[in-house]
Amino acid sequence: MSSQPPLHLFLVAAGAHFLALLLPGPDFLLILRTALAGGRRRGAWLCLGIACANAFYIGLAIAGFAALRPGSAAFTALQAAAGGFLLWLGLRLLRDAGAAATATAGPVPAAPPEGRARAWATGFIAAMLNPKNGLAYAGLFAALARQPAAWQLACGAWMAAVVFAWDLLVCRAVSHRRVAGGWVRHGPLVARCAGTALALAGLAAGYTAMVGYLSPP
């Protein structure tokens, strides 16, 4: 058992986890685009999908899953899949950028069930195909490995809840009436910038996977 009290470890782990959430990445771009173009409700389903993927990685980390270590075949395959998915999302955003101006600054009607399911699946797949999520949780829970399993599960549940709450906060902020009004004027430009960023991130992930595969062990 660690000589440090569990509360101290929790504060350290929770603080590191929250600081990582503050760094914008592909998830933030997806939330931005979905909330602005599809509405707050659809954005909430995307956030739920992202949180579910994070909860899955947390469960793997608590169970001691180590197949996603850098250089492993699973990690390389995940990087390649992530690159392809992000590239596809980016190209899709660039293709649909012209339709962004159709968004309105008024109330957005509730998303149909198929839209909600698709938003959830997009968030879940995007977060699952981000190898940094698995590595981050593996590192966090490696430091908590000597703590009781129930305590680790409680800590993991807290982290998953924080991911969902923070993403919902971002979704609500970017779908504010004034922001949505700006989306009407600048939506195509924002969509093109987000699409370009996602496509470049996808190409970078694919290149990294290829280099890792071709490099000698």
Side-chain angles (χ1 to χ4, degrees), residues 2-206:
S2 172
S3 60
Q4 295 177 306
L7 178 59
H8 176 78
L9 286 179
F10 170 78
L11 293 176
V12 171
H17 175 252
F18 184 71
L19 288 176
L21 286 179
L22 298 180
L23 299 176
D27 291 349
F28 175 82
L29 293 175
L30 286 176
I31 295 171
L32 174 68
R33 191 267 178 183
T34 302
L36 290 174
R40 186 181 301 173
R41 295 179 180 88
R42 190 166 296 169
W45 283 93
L46 179 88
C47 294
L48 181 60
I50 293 172
C52 288
N54 277 259
F56 181 79
Y57 271 126
I58 289 170
L60 291 181
I62 293 175
F65 185 71
L68 291 181
R69 64 185 185 278
S72 67
F75 183 79
T76 301
L78 189 60
Q79 277 188 315
F85 184 68
L86 292 177
L87 178 61
W88 174 78
L89 283 177
L91 293 177
R92 184 181 171 192
L93 278 180
L94 290 172
R95 183 196 67 186
D96 298 339
T102 61
T104 64
V108 180
E114 62 272 14
R116 298 169 183 169
R118 185 171 183 175
W120 182 92
T122 299
F124 183 82
I125 294 172
M128 281 296 298
L129 290 180
N130 186 353
K132 292 183 179 179
N133 286 335
L135 289 176
Y137 288 119
L140 280 173
F141 283 93
L144 307 176
R146 295 185 178 183
Q147 300 303 319
W151 189 87
Q152 292 187 53
L153 287 172
C155 189
W158 168 268
M159 291 180 180
V162 168
V163 169
F164 185 48
W166 174 255
D167 287 347
L168 276 181
L169 181 62
V170 172
C171 177
R172 184 176 182 84
V174 300
S175 59
H176 190 272
R177 180 179 295 272
R178 290 186 178 179
V179 179
W183 174 254
V184 174
R185 298 186 297 273
H186 307 295
L189 177 61
V190 175
R192 290 188 181 96
C193 291
T196 300
L198 287 173
L200 290 176
L203 290 173

